[in-house]
Amino acid sequence: MSFPWLTVIGTLPLLGAVALTLMPRGGVLPKQLALGVSVGTLVLTAVMGLQYSPRGGMQFEEEHEWIGAFGAHYALGVDGIGLTLVVMTAILTPLVIAASWNDGDEGRWSVNAFFAWMLALEGLALGVFAATDVFLFYVLFEATLVPIYFLLGGFGGLQRSYAAVKFLVFSLVGGLLMLAAVVGLYVVSAQAGTPTYLLSELSEITAGIDESTGRWLFLGFFVAFAVKAPMWPVHTWLPDAAAAGTPGTSVLLVSVLDKIGTFGMIRFCLELFPEASQWASPVVMVLAVVSIIYGALLAIGQDDIRRLIAYTSVSHFGFIVLGIFALTSQSASGATLYMFNHGMSTAALFLVTGFLITRHGSARISDFGGVEKVAPVLAGILLVAGLSSLSLPGLAPFVSEFLVLAGTFSVSVTAAVVATLGIVLAALYILLMYQRTMTGPLRADNATITDLRAREVAALAPILGLIIAFGFYPQALLDVINPAVERTLEQVGVTDPSPDVPLEALSQDEEASQ
Amino acid sequence: MTEVLPADGVFGLSWLLVAVPAISAVVLLVGGRRTDRWGHLLGTAAPAFAFVLGVVLFVALLGRGEQERRVGQQLWTWFEVGGLRADFGLLLDPLSALFVLLITGVGSLIHVYSIGYMAHDARRRRFFGYLNLFIAAMLMLVLADNYLALFLGWEGVGLASYLLIGFWQHKNSAAVAAKKAFVVNRVGDMGMVLAIMLMFATFGSVTFEGVAAGIEDASGATQTALGLLLLLGACGKSAQVPLQSWLLDAMEGPTPVSALIHAATMVTAGVYLVVRSGFVYETTEVASTAVVLVGLVTLVVGAIIGCAKDDIKKVLAGSTMSQIGYMMLAAGLGPAGYAFAIFHLITHGFFKANLFLGAGSVMHSMHDDVDMRVYGGLSRLMPVTFVTFAMGYLAIIGFPGFAGFWSKDKVIEAAFADNIWIGIATILAAGVTAFYMTRLMLMTFLGDKRWKSDVHPHESPATMTIPLVVLAVASVLGGVLILGGWIGHFLEPSVGPEEHHDLPIPVLALTAIVTLTVAVGVFIAWRTYGTKEVPVTAPRGSVLTRAARADLYGDALNEAVLMRPGQWTTRWLVWFDNRGLDGGVNGLAALIGGTSGQVRRAQTGYVRSYALAMLGGALLVVVSLLAVTLA
Amino acid sequence: MDATPFLTLSALLFTIGAVGVLVRRNAIVVFMCVELMLNATNLALVTFARVHGQLDGQVAAFFVMVVAAAEVVVGLAIIVSIFRARRSISVDDASLLKY
């Protein structure tokens, strides 16, 4: 039996959370412990990632029977898609903890609780991305709601209770539908022989189920993931949550937790219900395109910086979902890459604007003006983060966005053309925000805003470094993602449309004629 | 087109062209205040190095046989998924080599100029960082061997342009202009992105080679769509109608920026794109005609705007639009015009950079006042600026023997050969060019002084005048490139052999007509502005003048058609999201809450009423059971 | 054997008990009426046990008795403490536990 990498990586933050609740409240020690644990997790993840072989399929697998009567297992494993998200989570958490150093000091509960919930969230999220058993996935999926609920409700801004409850209710409604589908899967697998929730065995069973059952089960999963992602029209919880939470909470919520939705779509919707996925693809693509444009337009109309970023995420999640359901290798790989890149770029945006908001005590764009003059480093980082959000080539999100669009274009020109409008709108919402807050004459009440401190720059620099590095060499990630996506699409049974004028054929013709 | 050979020998250094300015930009921007003391020197050394390397590569290219003048260097794979692959691949061929020389040559001069021009700006080091970023991105643009890498440079120069237009961002107008430039360009970028996606869907390739190989076999609709989408991109970058509105506002940037980016290099990227994609336009009549029309409309619009402005930089900006219109038109004419488009592009790069830098020199001594109505009589006080500016002036109006004379004439000839009406329009526009440039000269350098008493015009320092002199020489001698048809011949490996068309009238007669038209334009300007006092406040002017001052209502149109409805939609959607969607959710929650609030009234607290309810319920069960069994 | 008289008696007792619970306000009386209903049920259970010749019904009756006894203990204790607190054992007065 090999070393249980995934269990160790997932459990370490959970143990850290328990340790935090047991140690004396307050002071700097809990913060250091939290940072240490999350860095340790990152190191372990890096060691594991180096052993990963891109073409090896599902790896680091562990499997133990859990509830025999249901066929539930404690089963973990990652392929390229899962590994990408595990790595993203492991990278972001220590940075978020470093950036949120003082954000937990004035909450409803102690600073220990703040960081304990963060670590708990990390551990559970890692588990979700690594789960290869539907039942385990469901349990962890619902369990992640708990830490976020307390992070929102305990350490947020004015409307934190409202936002926390709203988030919880939306997620629970989605989760309930998913529960129904999970129960349905049990029935399906029990009818086929011994009940099982193992993904590897289920996909063989669900390949043979009848059309309408498959579609209903698909819908159960899809709606839950759409709420989580969030897609139009079930996105309204996100702006409230993002506006109420601390910057760190928002990052964990939008960059990490919401990815569970899109991850679930590619892992469960596509792999378990290939027929239903193809059936639903046109409708989902329409919803995704609506999300892209709607989110972007709403972002333009916001005055609260955090709500603005939340709406940009609605738009970006539209791209990710579009990429997944266009069902081409370019778009699906692009969507997976986008999950990682969006995590980075949104984290940078939330954190840097969080620093700005903390300094001035207001999140309203109209309360700022000319900040660049007093805080050039902050402004520069905000600009780079913003440019990555508007997909400037040379920064990581561009490649993923282009892959999504190009893949979509080869199946639906209309969807791609409308979605491309999003890049114009993206320029508007980012640059309008930047212009109104950072440029122009310095407002008198903004003059006291100080530039970023070393700790804050140190928390942001790795993110920006990754954004730039993967802007020029995304292939490092794509090499990991591509084989996994190819296997998924093979399971769905789709192949990429071939070019109208295949150049290989042309050159062969020429050779023949010579 | 000839085959692309792998880079060997000195060509293996091509990547340094892009890398050196890029590294310099990173050092200057990340290094922060530590690099303040020597930042401008490093910033100038980087493009100078690139220029030297560019010359070496150019000479090496000339030393090879004609069939071996396209050299490719593959750096690394940017990304590859399924059949979609984009490389960081460089292509050094005659076309890109000329651009490299123009960009690094004019760029280096402008860097030197900026040392003096920005000497008193506390953020000078950052200015050089942005300029280096621009040089790197622009070189990436012209050296790329595929459309995606080109797009990287394309957006990179857009970013640099954004940063530099808004360099004095404490001014609201500069910040707004910068944002406008970026957003308008993004509209064009949409065309580019869609074109690249269409290429991928059609050919499975996004390299110049691949698209060129397959374009003949693509459907007519695809060919036309590709041509039009690329044209949309070109319109954005090159400020062609209908995406012209940003260029005039872009003059908010420091003058060296206007010279380098918004006159000599970046705005000509659209022309480069059209020439580079010539193989697309040769297959589609519709798209190439559209290019000609866009060029024609813009050259007229730009010239008209140039006539009415009193802001010296805006006159030059209108002129830039107009001159790029000439290039675009020539590029749209196909193989007959490519070489002339590039020729005019290069000479324009020389004389327009010269003119802008001259204007900057004037502004420098006039406390950054740009209103020509308060200039006048500067020729004696700023002799070097005056003489160099005059060289640029003679070049742009097409004074016989100067650079612009040769290049503009060639464009007009090509237009004439294609269609007599287009030819006539280009000749008339040449006359208008002569008018507004003469007007500018007269109002700025000649006549009586009109400036206020607290302004003390003086000649600029040597760092500023030396580049002016170099550019002035280039403006005079730029025409040598056409000697013996050299440029057309040189570009052949890139754009294919030149086509010659017969003119309806002899070439010399046409040249005479053009020169005569120019003379008429100069004369009218002299009658209007040279013989009479120039009023310090602008007269109301005719309908046309007022329209031209308002940029022919381009902004008003954008505002009415796009901005207002857009704002309205956004506002409505915000309302809808809050009240409609979220209101629906919250309404549902309130409905459930309200209903339970009513229903709980049944819980009176009276034990006996509960008992009655229980009894009633039990009876109901019994009765229904009976009903079922008896039925 | 003919069960009708026993069942009729049971029904009668139950009805009296039910009406008592509904119309009387005195908590003690209500309580006694509840007991009456329980015993009416017991009678029915025992009757049916006899009719079917099985012990199930009798066992159930014992259950009911035990539960009733426990209930009396708790119930009377509540009534006494209510009376101590409010000087009244009217069930209508004790209506605080409501919406």
Side-chain angles (χ1 to χ4, degrees), chain B residues 99-119:
Chain B
F99 265 93
V100 167
L101 289 184
L102 176 74
I103 294 158
T104 54
V106 175
S108 302
L109 289 172
I110 289 173
H111 276 74
V112 173
Y113 179 93
S114 305
I115 295 178
Y117 190 85
M118 302 297 285

Side-chain angles (χ1 to χ4, degrees), chain A residues 2 26 59 71 76 81 109 124 186 246 266 347 387 418 482 502:
Chain A
S2 57
Q59 289 166 52
L76 301 176
I81 303 169
W109 301 295
L124 293 172
Y186 163 78
T246 66
I266 203 164
L387 290 172
V418 180
N482 281 345

